[in-house]
Amino acid sequence: MAKFFQDHMWQDSIFAIKLSCKVSDFEPFYGQLIEKLPQTSEETRRRGAGTIVKRFFSEKTLNQPTRLTWRSYKDEKLLQHLMRYQFLMSEPVIADFAKLNVLNREPGDHLEFRDLADSFLQQTYGEVKPKLRQRLSAALQATGLVTRSQQIMYVREQADIERAFGVLLHVLFAPQSTTIAVKDILNHVFWRYLGLREPSDVVKLLRCLEAQRIIVKYVRADQLEQVTTAYSADEILNHKRLP
């Protein structure tokens, strides 16, 4: 059976990522995080810190895209888009619900959330726990995938994702300047987690990066379709190459 997912801790996670920019090593950061989280009980702070680390510092290093891009770009939207990707990658049950019921719908579509959630939780866990339904709803809203208005849940449109797309393109496929097959990009889930719906949307962003000279070459000929990046992931993360 799938493991029960925990609270999203979104604001605490934002705090943690920004806190990590004030230190240079993981251990001092982790100690400060346990000390400075807002929960009263030390045991609760330790559990919360462990959850945040699992999601956003899973390798127990500060060499993480969310931290590095916040330090370089100071862009709140970029931070939250990258956090959504990392959160969904680390929470497969929530990600499965999102892929089945949110990411395949158009922005503005109405979700019959209670029915969808109860059916999903029954299939996943063999029972419906109201606390898990509430956690799922809260996580979808915190990550920006949905919004509520007068108790009705809607799929939310993701705006200004170009930088996040550029960051993840390099982190996932181009640690050094390299050539990438477009099919490999399309076969990865990252662009869906950012909020893109169709492969054509991905191609548009690749063309945008080409116009900005982040991609130096986009080749489409016969069965060949590939892009060549201008920079390494380090340059993108640490030297603010993205406009």
Side-chain angles (χ1 to χ4, degrees):
M1 185 177 72
K3 185 178 180 181
F4 292 134
F5 51 88
Q6 301 303 311
D7 289 337
H8 58 79
M9 299 189 68
W10 197 252
Q11 292 303 316
D12 288 340
S13 298
I14 293 173
F15 168 79
I17 291 165
K18 293 180 179 179
L19 176 67
S20 74
C21 294
K22 300 178 181 179
V23 296
S24 57
D25 295 307
F26 177 80
E27 291 302 328
F29 156 67
Y30 188 55
Q32 289 187 34
L33 181 60
I34 293 172
E35 179 184 341
K36 293 185 177 183
L37 283 174
Q39 292 78 17
T40 303
S41 161
E42 181 179 350
E43 179 59 31
T44 303
R45 294 197 302 273
R46 285 187 179 277
R47 286 200 303 270
T51 297
I52 292 169
V53 165
K54 177 180 78 74
R55 290 169 175 165
F56 300 102
F57 301 89
S58 59
E59 298 176 357
K60 296 188 176 179
T61 171
L62 298 186
N63 188 32
Q64 298 293 331
T66 44
R67 173 184 182 267
L68 297 176
T69 52
W70 175 252
R71 192 174 62 178
S72 298
Y73 293 86
K74 293 293 190 294
D75 181 337
E76 290 282 355
K77 290 182 179 179
L78 172 61
L79 174 62
Q80 300 223 17
H81 288 318
L82 295 178
M83 284 179 63
R84 180 169 65 256
Y85 167 76
Q86 286 191 301
F87 181 89
L88 292 175
M89 290 298 291
S90 66
E91 294 290 352
V93 174
I94 297 175
D96 283 347
F97 180 88
K99 285 185 286 188
L100 286 169
N101 298 297
V102 180
L103 299 174
N104 58 349
R105 299 171 187 259
E106 292 299 316
D109 283 359
H110 168 220
L111 290 181
E112 296 288 351
F113 175 74
R114 187 184 181 98
D115 292 343
L116 292 170
D118 286 359
S119 174
F120 175 81
L121 293 172
Q122 182 67 41
Q123 291 178 14
T124 302
Y125 296 113
E127 61 179 328
V128 177
K129 289 181 176 289
K131 187 173 184 178
L132 285 180
R133 186 200 305 126
Q134 189 278 329
R135 283 180 183 171
L136 180 58
S137 172
L140 294 174
Q141 292 177 76
T143 57
L145 290 174
V146 303
T147 187
R148 276 190 180 274
S149 177
Q150 298 180 347
Q151 302 304 310
I152 299 174
M153 186 176 286
Y154 298 93
V155 177
R156 187 172 177 178
E157 183 172 9
Q158 303 303 323
D160 302 317
I161 64 171
E162 293 83 3
R163 269 187 174 176
F165 181 88
V167 167
L168 290 176
L169 177 70
H170 288 78
V171 169
L172 296 170
F173 299 101
Q176 302 299 325
S177 176
T178 190
T179 298
I180 314 161
V182 172
K183 68 177 182 180
D184 291 339
I185 299 170
L186 296 177
N187 285 337
H188 200 285
V189 75
F190 82 97
W191 54 273
R192 295 191 65 202
Y193 287 176
L194 290 179
L196 297 174
R197 293 302 194 272
E198 301 293 338
S200 59
D201 298 328
V202 176
V203 171
K204 287 178 183 178
L205 280 189
L206 292 173
R207 289 296 190 186
C208 178
L209 291 174
E210 181 186 30
Q212 296 167 347
R213 305 299 294 167
I214 304 300
I215 288 174
V216 294
K217 187 186 295 184
Y218 190 127
V219 174
R220 176 184 285 175
D222 298 325
Q223 300 300 313
L224 179 68
E225 189 170 8
Q226 59 189 29
V227 297
T228 301
T229 60
Y231 302 109
S232 67
D234 175 73
E235 289 176 291
I236 293 293
L237 293 170
N238 295 306
H239 300 285
K240 201 175 181 181
R241 299 296 188 186
L242 291 168

